[in-house]
Amino acid sequence: MPEPLNPDRIAAARDILVMRDCALARAHGQTPAFEWRSRPGGYEGLFRMIVEQQVSVAAAAAIWKRVVEGLDGEITPEAVLARDAEQLRAFGLSGQKAKYGREIALAHVEGRIDFDHLERLSDEDAIARLVSIKGVGKWTAETFLMFCEGRTDVFPGGDIALQEAMRWADGAPLRPTEKQAYARAEIWRPHRSVAAHLLWGWYGAVKRGEVALEDPLP
């Protein structure tokens, strides 16, 4: 698995992005230096992403803690398959998330996906392999490759926060569609993951009231 970009390489990529696309100047100017969002990979990383979706940060942390304790700290496909759906639900998972956790585990055990060798696949092939598993959507696959594998040229075009930040950057009246967002991000290759981190950071700063879109740039 590649190492996540260090701060110097992120800074260099940001400079390249702004030179290539002046629409990112405000996002760049209003967003301080950031680190790569790095998370554990493999089955554990993907299962945790599924567990944490559509719940608050606090609720996700509490549920994941119960999952880890319930599995005796062994977050492996074998450990999950050793429990039925009802046992997994007792850890705080919804029935759907318990089912998806087992689906991912079964895919690994049956050889339909090999987390140990996923990094050998291209971004496109890895995404295709991941979304072939029931319960794993494209956004989940893309963010898994970014956060858990440190891939630097992946862009989750279906992310609403990214679409909104793109709208701000372009001064557009409407958010781009998912298809439009993917097309708009092409100019950011091969640093699309850095562009996503930048836009997420900017979006968060604006929503928290730390900066305003009409503020003068430093």
Side-chain angles (χ1 to χ4, degrees):
M1 183 182 304
E3 288 293 325
L5 294 185
N6 62 37
D8 289 342
R9 292 179 64 195
I10 292 174
R14 286 178 60 163
D15 288 341
I16 292 170
L17 287 166
V18 174
M19 286 190 293
R20 187 173 298 171
D21 187 352
C22 61
L24 293 178
R26 180 164 294 278
H28 179 61
Q30 292 186 320
T31 308
F34 52 78
E35 294 184 355
W36 195 266
R37 296 189 189 182
S38 183
R39 302 186 59 167
Y43 172 78
E44 177 179 349
L46 185 57
F47 184 28
R48 183 168 185 172
M49 291 187 73
I50 295 293
V51 170
E52 293 179 343
Q53 287 177 9
Q54 300 177 323
V55 295
S56 69
V57 173
I63 294 170
W64 184 249
K65 183 174 183 292
R66 291 177 62 185
V67 170
V68 173
E69 292 172 348
L71 294 174
D72 300 321
E74 295 293 327
I75 317 300
T76 64
E78 294 76 15
V80 169
L81 291 174
R83 277 78 171 180
D84 59 27
E86 287 305 311
Q87 288 174 303
L88 294 174
R89 289 184 64 185
F91 304 153
L93 299 177
S94 66
Q96 190 175 56
K97 290 182 178 180
K99 180 180 179 180
Y100 291 162
R102 287 178 54 82
E103 289 281 354
I104 298 168
L106 191 61
H108 179 74
V109 169
E110 292 180 346
R112 287 182 280 125
I113 188 166
D114 185 345
F115 288 103
D116 295 329
H117 299 99
L118 191 64
E119 65 186 58
R120 298 180 183 177
L121 300 180
S122 68
D123 296 338
E124 292 76 15
D125 288 346
I127 289 169
R129 191 69 59 88
L130 287 164
V131 299
S132 69
I133 306 170
K134 188 173 183 179
V136 180
K138 191 172 184 181
W139 180 91
T140 301
E142 291 166 335
T143 52
F144 174 83
L145 294 182
M146 288 175 62
F147 303 150
C148 301
E149 291 214 330
R151 300 203 187 201
T152 58
D153 194 34
V154 179
F155 190 84
D159 188 279
I160 297 300
L162 290 181
Q163 292 173 5
E164 182 68 356
M166 294 169 85
R167 182 181 76 80
W168 298 341
D170 289 332
L174 299 173
R175 288 198 302 260
T177 64
E178 182 173 348
K179 182 178 180 179
Q180 290 168 338
Y182 282 121
R184 176 69 178 84
E186 282 296 306
I187 193 175
W188 302 332
R189 286 181 180 271
H191 305 294
R192 288 181 300 166
S193 296
V194 175
H197 276 73
L198 173 61
L199 292 173
W200 272 321
W202 186 40
Y203 178 87
V206 172
K207 287 299 183 180
R208 292 189 298 270
E210 296 169 0
V211 298
L213 297 178
E214 62 272 15
D215 286 346
L217 293 178

